[in-house]
Amino acid sequence: MATEGKNLSEYDKSRVPDAKEFRFGIVVAEWNEEITEGLFQGAFNALKENGVINENIVRWNVPGSFELIYACKKMQESYDMLDAIIAIGSVIEGETKHFDFVCQGVSQGIKDLNVHHDIPVIFCVLTDKNMQQAIDRSGGKHGNKGSEAGVAAIKMAQLRKDARF
Ligand code: DLZ
């Protein structure tokens, strides 16, 4: 679904499971910090709005989006009580191919974690052409992709729970 015209913060609360018993991890990349902090706030608020308590949210920071993969893997291994993890980053296109390698690496890496580990990892990495696009999607005119990721994390936590029975 295209994000143009869609407010990333909007969701139907009646379709989101009650999350008060769930535990979440959030890994935040420090590159483009003004964007990733906005995304973190969106994700955190969405979890809280749906009943998650502060004590059930653990946050780790990493230097850049490329490091999200390792940290999410370590989080899966060391906090097996978590119900879902949200990986937050912001990659902005520059003049070199670095953008392509980071985007490719992080998206494939997080996909691999979802294939090989039991705790779902939500992809909340913005991949934008410029800073304005990133601002618009991290609490600006297109809403906050962090909110969307928070809701996705709750839905995946519920799916994982239901799949056990
Ligand atoms: C090196 C780099 C560049 C050029 N751009 C970004 C970016 O836009 N967003 C981001 O999250 N990280 C970037 N990085 C850092 C890499 O993700 C990584 O931290 C370094 O390559 C070290 O492994």
Side-chain angles (χ1 to χ4, degrees):
M1 185 187 295
T3 54
E4 289 301 328
K6 177 180 190 259
N7 185 324
L8 294 162
S9 302
E10 276 173 12
Y11 64 94
D12 178 356
K13 202 163 185 294
S14 69
R15 299 183 65 184
V16 181
D18 180 5
K20 68 174 179 294
E21 303 297 333
F22 291 140
R23 299 182 171 92
F24 296 94
I26 307 181
V27 184
V28 185
E30 290 168 346
W31 257 81
N32 300 318
E33 195 171 23
E34 64 278 34
I35 303 300
T36 58
E37 285 304 321
L39 294 171
F40 170 77
Q41 221 32 258
F44 186 83
N45 292 346
L47 297 180
K48 297 279 299 175
E49 277 162 22
N50 290 286
V52 184
I53 58 170
N54 286 358
E55 293 70 23
N56 285 346
I57 302 173
V58 52
R59 172 182 171 155
W60 288 359
N61 276 17
V62 291
S65 292
F66 200 76
E67 285 72 44
L68 288 169
I69 309 153
Y70 180 82
C72 288
K73 183 184 72 153
K74 280 289 161 194
M75 204 178 243
Q76 286 174 322
E77 290 168 356
S78 42
Y79 285 88
D80 64 354
M81 79 293 284
L82 291 177
D83 296 288
I85 296 170
I86 303 169
I88 292 180
S90 161
V91 196
I92 297 180
E93 207 167 332
E95 289 175 3
T96 69
K97 284 185 175 293
H98 212 95
F99 175 83
D100 301 313
F101 290 118
V102 174
C103 292
Q104 183 95 25
V106 71
S107 57
Q108 290 296 319
I110 288 175
K111 180 268 289 173
D112 288 345
L113 294 180
N114 280 298
V115 172
H116 297 295
H117 292 259
D118 185 49
I119 302 172
V121 181
I122 305 303
F123 185 72
C124 182
V125 180
L126 292 178
T127 56
D128 293 304
K129 286 191 183 308
N130 53 53
M131 181 57 82
Q132 190 57 51
Q133 280 190 341
I135 291 168
D136 292 345
R137 290 161 179 75
S138 56
K141 70 176 181 188
H142 291 307
N144 194 326
K145 188 158 181 72
S147 315
E148 188 186 67
V151 170
I154 294 169
K155 289 182 175 176
M156 290 307 291
Q158 185 66 46
L159 183 148
R160 177 172 175 259
K161 185 178 171 198
D162 293 344
R164 287 205 202 110
F165 297 100

